[in-house]
Each structure stands twice: as C-alpha cells, then as structure tokens.
Amino acid sequence: MESISQTYARLRSAQKGRARGAPAYSVFINRPVGRLLAAVAYRIGLTPNQVTLVSAVFTFTAIALIAIVPASPVIGVVIWLLLALGYAWDSADGQVARLRGGGSLAGEWLDHFVDAAKISSLHLAVLVGLSKSPDIPQTWLLVPIAFTIVANTTFFAMILNDLLKGKRGVASAHSTGGGGILRSILLLPTDYGILMLAFVLWGWPLVFFGVYSLLFVACTAFLVAAAITWFRQMARIDRENATP
C-alpha cells in the first residue's frame, strides 16, 4: 500500500487546472492543505461524501458560534480555525473522488448543496452576532444582509456559467488554465479564505465590521464587473452557435 506522501504526490500530479485568476489563498494555501487531508482521508477509507460531511461539521460549528456565543478574541480565533478546516476539507472531497477513480453526480450535488447553505448561513450568522453588539448601529446590519445577496448571486452565477457552457460544449473556467499570479493576488479580497481570516477580529466588533465592510465592497465590485463579462460571454456563445 502506498504511503500518505506517495498518495499526496499522486494527487499533486493529477491536480485539475484552477480557474483563471482564482484567488491566491484558495489556490496556494487551501488546495495544498486539502490535498494533504485528501491523502489522509483516502488512506483511512473515507468516501468523498463523508469528507463533504466532515467539512460541513467544521463549517457549521463555526457558524453556530458566530450566531450564538458572545464575541471575544478567543472565540474569533476558534471560529477562524473551524472555518479554515471546513474549507480545507471542502477542497479535499473532490480530490478523494479523483483518487477513487472519479466523482459522482450525487457527490457533486451534495458538495454544491453544502456550499450554498454555508454561503447563506455565514453572513446571516454575522447579522445575528453583530446585532448583539451595542457598538454596532442597527442600520449597519444592512451590510451582512447585502453581503448575503452578493455572495449567493455570485455562487449561483458561477454554477450557472458552467451549466450553460456545458450545454453548448464550451469548456468551463476550471479547465481553461490558471491565469496570472498577479490576478490571483488582486482577487484576494474576494477570497473566502480572507473572509475567514477576518473572524480573528471578531472580538473587536467595530474593527471586524470595518474589515468585513471592505470585503463586501470588494465582492460587490467583483460581481458587477464579472456579471458584465459573463453576460458578454453568453452572448458570444449564442452568436457562435447561431452561425451556420
């Protein structure tokens, strides 16, 4: 039986291409950590769906802490660690599937289902958590509400892009190469890994809110710019398929 290091090396050589300009934390930190977890999970016999559920346990435990437990510096660090582990395990499920010979529609559905629930509940938990702070004016709570809308719309649009392109036989972003490192760094404010890291500041509500709001602005700007690009891509595909 191959060692964990051999499994890790096999995964690395078979790693799928990253989306063009994917944010740096997700590519350079989360994916390698997820690869290591995938090698361990494969060795102990976990299925991809079980890995997805492990990810969900870490993530939703953190989300519950955000909404329920009083904010403090220690709780902020715990939330960040739980979210980071959940994100790394989320990266591991697809890699375990590749080690086992390929994924399944059911597994992909479960992965996206958990992701969708995570995206909505994380920002709504922030809304609940911040509402308990006397330092945060009620009108400021519009930010996590708006962030929920932006995050959900972005996620749905990305899934829809791949779905519609697949119907026309067009390669998705995940199979078209990585894009530049500079682009990956510039997109860091939109990276889920940076949002997770912001929770280290959870014990200082005003500071956290300031960083969280800046990330919201960055994600909103990205969505507006990306939506224009994505719409133009769909229009171009329509024209190409309409050509005799």
Side-chain angles (χ1 to χ4, degrees):
M1 178 181 293
E2 66 182 8
S3 65
I4 290 179
S5 61
Q6 290 172 324
T7 304
Y8 182 89
R10 182 155 64 94
L11 257 179
R12 185 173 184 178
S13 64
Q15 183 68 63
K16 70 178 182 179
R18 60 185 173 91
R20 179 176 178 267
Y25 178 93
S26 295
V27 173
F28 301 115
I29 297 178
N30 195 63
R31 182 175 287 183
V33 174
R35 190 181 303 136
L36 177 60
L37 293 177
V40 173
Y42 179 73
R43 283 294 305 276
I44 64 178
L46 292 182
T47 66
N49 288 349
Q50 289 171 333
V51 172
T52 299
L53 294 177
V54 170
S55 168
V57 168
F58 281 112
T59 297
F60 289 104
T61 299
I63 290 171
L65 292 178
I66 295 169
I68 297 172
V69 177
S72 72
V74 172
I75 288 297
V77 172
V78 171
I79 290 169
W80 166 62
L81 287 173
L82 289 171
L83 289 174
L85 284 169
Y87 193 31
W89 279 104
D90 183 38
S91 175
D93 55 8
Q95 301 189 64
V96 171
R98 285 192 290 280
L99 285 171
R100 294 167 64 95
S104 65
L105 286 178
E108 187 172 359
W109 180 91
L110 179 63
D111 186 33
H112 291 327
F113 179 86
V114 171
D115 284 342
K118 171 184 71 178
I119 289 169
S120 298
S121 56
L122 177 64
H123 295 290
L124 294 178
V126 170
L127 170 66
V128 174
L130 290 179
S131 70
K132 300 175 183 179
S133 172
D135 299 326
I136 303 297
Q138 292 297 300
T139 53
W140 291 10
L141 299 178
L142 292 172
V143 173
I145 294 174
F147 213 152
T148 305
I149 296 170
V150 168
N152 270 308
T153 303
T154 302
F155 178 72
F156 177 76
M158 289 179 172
I159 298 298
L160 190 60
N161 287 344
D162 288 347
L163 177 65
L164 295 179
K165 287 180 179 180
K167 290 179 65 175
R168 295 291 189 268
V170 178
S172 70
H174 297 292
S175 60
T176 57
I181 293 178
L182 178 59
R183 179 184 172 89
S184 294
I185 294 173
L186 290 175
L187 286 177
L188 266 175
T190 70
D191 198 324
Y192 179 71
I194 302 304
L195 176 61
M196 296 184 315
L197 188 59
F199 284 95
V200 172
L201 303 172
W202 186 242
W204 301 272
L206 284 175
V207 179
F208 171 82
F209 182 81
V211 173
Y212 181 81
S213 297
L214 290 175
L215 295 178
F216 162 67
V217 170
C219 289
T220 302
F222 169 81
L223 176 59
V224 171
I228 295 171
T229 299
W230 293 334
F231 182 82
R232 288 173 175 171
Q233 288 175 350
M234 296 301 164
R236 184 176 67 251
I237 293 171
D238 281 337
R239 291 193 298 271
E240 291 171 351
N241 279 270
T243 303

